[in-house]
Amino acid sequence: MRETPRSQETAGDSMAWPPQPRPGRALAHTTGASCSGSPLRSDGRPPQTPRGARQTGPHGRPGTTPPVPGRPTSFFRSAFFLRPSFFRPLGGPAVVAAVCAALFALITWQVVDHGPLRALDEHVDRAVVGDGPAGLTEFLADLGNLQVALPVLASAVGLALYRRRRVPAAAVVVAMALVPALVVPLKALTDRPGPLTPETGYFPSGHAATAMVAYAGAALLVGRWLMPVAVLLTVATGIGLVLRGHHWPLDVLGSWSLCGVLLAGVVLVSSRGRRRSSAGTPSRRTGPS
């Protein structure tokens, strides 16, 4: 079979260097731009984003354009630190106060009327009273003493006044003053005997109420990042009171629901005072008038 004769010119002889564009072809990716001889694309844009102009990610790494949004705040962090955005779906302090008031009314009714919740409460108390190390449970119960809780609250109030947060400090002081004003008459009205004594006047628990308002109020004044510590101290006080036989479980739960109303009022008053102060502050104008 006869081969087709090859051209006398070799590939190296026939190809000019650098290769020239053929007439009529697009110059989008050749050494030219919208016009021949320019190192840009046919649409006038550079062939790629310069490295120095690229946006970085959240941790300084090369990112995309536009920049990658930051990591969203997790539900755990919002709940753990009690951020205002976490409580927004609940309806605000007024709704929380209404729920706590309804819960306190239910518990009080069951205690006075010897309802099924009181029977369950007494059964649980008899099963757990005396459990745990006596020294530890007594220490936890003493967290609700005035000699322990009031100095903590007084220090927080002093810090709030130093920071010129007069409205929240006054609201917490009023809430603390309302604890004995509400608890003492309720003890006389309900006339409930104690777990280990026939003496009456155990509902609601004054120690549990003092601990909750003092520690949670201090956290509201100093910083909400302290709220988990306040919750831990409040719960520990209630556990100590029940295990030592100083109070029934419903005595503690009733105090917590009552103090929930007081603390919700503190948050409501503080937020309104903050809005009034911000509304009264003249806004700063930037730029030429």
Side-chain angles (χ1 to χ4, degrees):
M1 183 173 181
R2 188 176 181 181
E3 296 181 358
T4 306
R6 298 178 59 184
S7 172
Q8 298 297 327
E9 296 179 354
T10 62
D13 298 332
S14 60
M15 181 179 295
W17 192 264
Q20 301 297 321
R22 297 181 183 179
R25 295 191 62 179
L27 303 178
H29 302 286
T30 60
T31 308
S34 55
C35 299
S36 178
S38 173
L40 300 178
R41 294 182 177 180
S42 57
D43 54 359
R45 295 181 298 165
Q48 63 180 7
T49 305
R51 184 175 296 274
R54 294 182 184 178
Q55 300 290 342
T56 58
H59 304 288
R61 299 175 180 177
T64 58
T65 304
V68 179
R71 183 180 300 176
T73 303
S74 64
F75 176 84
F76 175 77
R77 290 179 59 189
S78 299
F80 190 73
F81 294 104
L82 298 182
R83 299 190 176 190
S85 59
F86 175 74
F87 290 99
R88 226 170 264 136
L90 301 179
V95 176
V96 174
V99 171
C100 291
L103 182 60
F104 177 74
L106 173 63
I107 295 174
T108 306
W109 166 56
Q110 288 292 298
V111 169
V112 173
D113 201 44
H114 295 266
L117 283 182
R118 175 166 175 169
L120 178 62
D121 173 58
E122 295 175 354
H123 175 73
V124 171
D125 185 83
R126 293 190 184 99
V128 300
V129 67
D131 290 348
L136 177 60
T137 54
E138 190 67 30
F139 171 77
L140 296 180
D142 289 341
L143 292 175
N145 290 339
L146 294 176
Q147 296 85 348
V148 179
L150 281 187
V152 175
L153 181 61
S155 302
V157 170
L159 181 60
L161 293 177
Y162 175 76
R163 294 176 176 176
R164 297 182 180 180
R165 300 183 61 192
R166 299 182 180 89
V167 174
V172 172
V173 170
V174 171
M176 193 70 221
L178 287 176
V179 169
L182 295 174
V183 169
V184 172
L186 287 170
K187 285 179 176 290
L189 290 175
T190 55
D191 200 31
R192 188 184 191 187
L196 303 177
T197 177
E199 296 180 1
T200 58
Y202 279 79
F203 178 87
S205 170
H207 285 74
T210 300
M212 183 172 181
V213 174
Y215 299 134
L220 289 174
L221 294 178
V222 176
R224 298 199 177 189
W225 55 273
L226 281 175
M227 191 60 70
V229 180
V231 172
L232 180 62
L233 294 175
T234 302
V235 173
T237 304
I239 293 175
L241 291 171
V242 173
L243 294 182
R244 293 303 299 163
H246 297 320
H247 281 285
W248 306 96
L250 281 184
D251 299 346
V252 176
L253 293 178
S255 294
W256 289 349
S257 58
L258 177 63
C259 294
V261 179
L262 299 179
L263 292 175
V266 170
V267 174
L268 185 61
V269 171
S270 302
S271 60
R272 288 183 176 179
R274 193 160 48 244
R275 285 196 297 266
R276 289 178 182 176
S277 62
S278 61
T281 303
S283 59
R284 298 180 179 179
R285 300 182 60 183
T286 59
S289 57

